Amino acid sequence: MELNRRTVIAGAAAGMAATTLGGTAHATGGRKPVKTLFGKLADGTKVYSWSLENGGTRLKVLSWGGVVQSLEIPDRRGRYANVSAGFDNLADYVAKTPYFGALIGRYGNRIGKGKFTLDGKNYQLSVNDGEQSLHGGTQGFDKRVWDVEPFTKGSDVGLHLYYTSVDGEMGYPGTLRTKVTYTLTRHGEWRIDYAATTDKATVVNLTSHVYFNLAGEGSGTIEDHELQIAASRYTPTDSGLIPTGELAKVAGTPFDFRKAKPIGRDIRVSHPQLVTAKGFDHNWVLDKGITARPEHVATLRDPASGRTMKIATNEPGLQFYSGNFLDGTLTGPSGRTYRQGDALCLETQHFPDSPNKPKFPSTVLRPGQTYRTTTIHTFGC
């Protein structure tokens, strides 16, 4: 594992079988993680790409922001395509990215006016989305170089990613030691395990911000994708996309995805919430709530290619973002530009602005506790 000026969770990998580059993949089609230089930051820091393959799924991950730079899965005819939007160079990830493929922290989604109170003390966070703090602030976890440790364990291959956020970084209290594990299973599932500890009471909400298009990166709109979300309620927002605190019923609204339907069916309905967000950019309150183990909560399907993705999580919420702010100014590896609705995000999470909404599930983490969540992506065709 490469260590530089960041520290890692002491003993976090205890008991876990990990190998250095060159470990043996098992007879399930898995390949050992392969490391290559992706680029250098302005200060000379090297950023690496890690390539993994197992069970028919191919994944490329950057040490910059823990970014999923590509995710390749086959269609019904066995033809592979990268289903994740992104860039083919480091400069664009540093200067232009709308969180393409990134690990998000300390707090995924928005905190109203970048303020919250914890144990009687007021905190002011970095503000980077109008008046709001979005995805951890101006220099969130997506803009940090993570330490990466490849591993093989049984029939699985993967990466452990480590980052330590110091007390006061982006305004958050406590030194947060974070470990995120990306695993490709022998069945081709992509599993994300998040873990974090703190030395001072803080708030945490980690997530992944992959932009999916199951027809393939650069192929055009996702409005014909069919989406199902196991949620009877969602959290409406104000003009700043901050939840009002209401848990509104989806029944009779464009937000009803309890049965699979094309994303484009209702996206242009004149509903106040769709007008404000320029499409879907809301948190769905999952019917299952917080669970001990990941449970199935959503299915995405592209009818043309036959590719499907099922998502299981133990989190209580799912943010569905329909790529509303893609405006044609960004170009992906295919050489094609990304326009509104050309990719979507399904971010498993706790609810936005939870530190300011006492009735929402708590995102407080205290010393002696370990933050743990898991999300599993299962692909098919």
Side-chain angles (χ1 to χ4, degrees):
M1 178 176 66
E2 292 186 29
L3 296 178
N4 44 41
R5 55 184 176 273
R6 290 165 305 281
T7 57
V8 299
I9 302 175
M16 303 193 70
T19 68
T20 58
L21 186 63
T24 302
H26 292 257
T28 60
R31 294 185 180 179
K32 59 188 178 183
V34 176
K35 174 184 174 183
T36 58
L37 181 65
F38 188 72
K40 294 182 181 180
L41 300 176
D43 65 359
T45 300
K46 293 179 179 179
V47 171
Y48 293 97
S49 170
W50 293 88
S51 299
L52 302 85
E53 182 172 353
N54 203 9
T57 299
R58 303 167 181 167
L59 186 67
K60 287 187 179 179
V61 176
L62 305 182
S63 55
W64 172 260
V67 163
V68 171
Q69 198 254 336
S70 72
L71 173 62
E72 297 183 39
I73 57 175
D75 66 7
R76 61 166 64 92
R77 296 182 180 180
R79 297 174 300 189
Y80 276 84
N82 173 24
V83 299
S84 173
F87 300 116
D88 60 5
N89 65 90
L90 180 58
D92 282 351
Y93 278 110
V94 172
K96 300 179 180 180
T97 185
Y99 305 100
F100 280 152
L103 284 176
I104 301 297
R106 285 190 194 191
Y107 200 97
N109 222 307
R110 295 172 175 87
I111 294 181
K113 301 187 186 303
K115 297 180 179 180
F116 69 93
T117 300
L118 179 59
D119 295 340
K121 185 173 180 178
N122 298 325
Y123 294 94
Q124 176 63 62
L125 307 175
S126 167
V127 172
N128 61 330
D129 183 45
E131 295 183 329
Q132 327 304 345
S133 182
L134 174 65
H135 295 329
T138 56
Q139 297 291 318
F141 289 7
D142 61 296
K143 297 178 180 65
R144 308 289 180 173
V145 177
W146 291 63
D147 293 309
V148 181
E149 180 182 25
F151 71 89
T152 61
K153 181 181 181 182
S155 58
D156 296 340
V157 298
L159 303 171
H160 299 305
L161 299 98
Y162 302 89
Y163 176 70
T164 294
S165 175
V166 299
D167 185 20
E169 184 174 281
M170 297 294 102
Y172 288 91
T175 295
L176 189 79
R177 292 177 170 83
T178 305
K179 176 187 177 185
V180 179
T181 301
Y182 289 161
T183 303
L184 289 186
T185 73
R186 65 188 180 92
H187 300 295
E189 298 164 319
W190 173 38
R191 176 179 176 126
I192 311 175
D193 291 287
Y194 305 87
T197 60
T198 184
D199 61 359
K200 185 186 298 184
T202 191
V203 295
V204 187
N205 190 27
L206 306 179
T207 192
S208 171
H209 209 289
V210 173
Y211 283 69
F212 295 102
N213 185 323
L214 296 185
E217 180 272 326
S219 63
T221 183
I222 47 80
E223 290 189 11
D224 55 354
H225 281 37
E226 297 170 353
L227 178 63
Q228 175 270 332
I229 305 174
S232 302
R233 296 178 183 270
Y234 77 106
T235 52
T237 66
D238 61 20
S239 60
L241 300 182
I242 299 298
T244 62
E246 179 187 5
L247 304 182
K249 293 181 179 180
V250 301
T253 78
F255 296 85
D256 192 349
F257 284 90
R258 289 174 296 175
K259 294 183 179 180
K261 68 177 181 180
I263 289 168
R265 177 180 294 175
D266 297 325
I267 201 169
R268 288 176 175 78
V269 171
S270 183
H271 187 286
Q273 287 292 308
L274 292 179
V275 172
T276 297
K278 298 181 173 60
F280 296 107
D281 192 3
H282 295 77
N283 168 65
W284 269 253
V285 179
L286 299 173
D287 289 340
K288 70 173 188 63
I290 299 173
T291 49
R293 293 182 176 87
E295 295 185 11
H296 174 253
V297 296
T299 300
L300 182 68
R301 178 176 180 267
D302 170 41
S305 68
R307 294 186 183 93
T308 62
M309 178 177 70
K310 295 183 178 181
I311 296 178
T313 189
N314 52 8
E315 290 276 38
L318 179 74
Q319 183 83 8
F320 166 37
Y321 168 57
S322 54
N324 314 330
F325 299 106
L326 298 175
D327 60 4
T329 61
L330 304 175
T331 301
S334 62
R336 303 191 68 185
T337 59
Y338 298 131
R339 299 189 180 276
Q340 187 179 54
D342 279 356
L344 64 89
C345 301
L346 295 168
E347 305 157 61
T348 55
Q349 58 171 25
H350 270 55
F351 304 168
D353 203 37
S354 289
N356 296 310
K357 301 291 190 295
K359 293 184 179 180
F360 284 3
S362 175
T363 55
V364 174
L365 180 70
R366 298 187 180 278
Q369 299 176 335
T370 300
Y371 171 98
R372 295 187 191 278
T373 76
T374 297
T375 295
I376 302 171
H377 305 78
T378 303
F379 306 105
C381 54

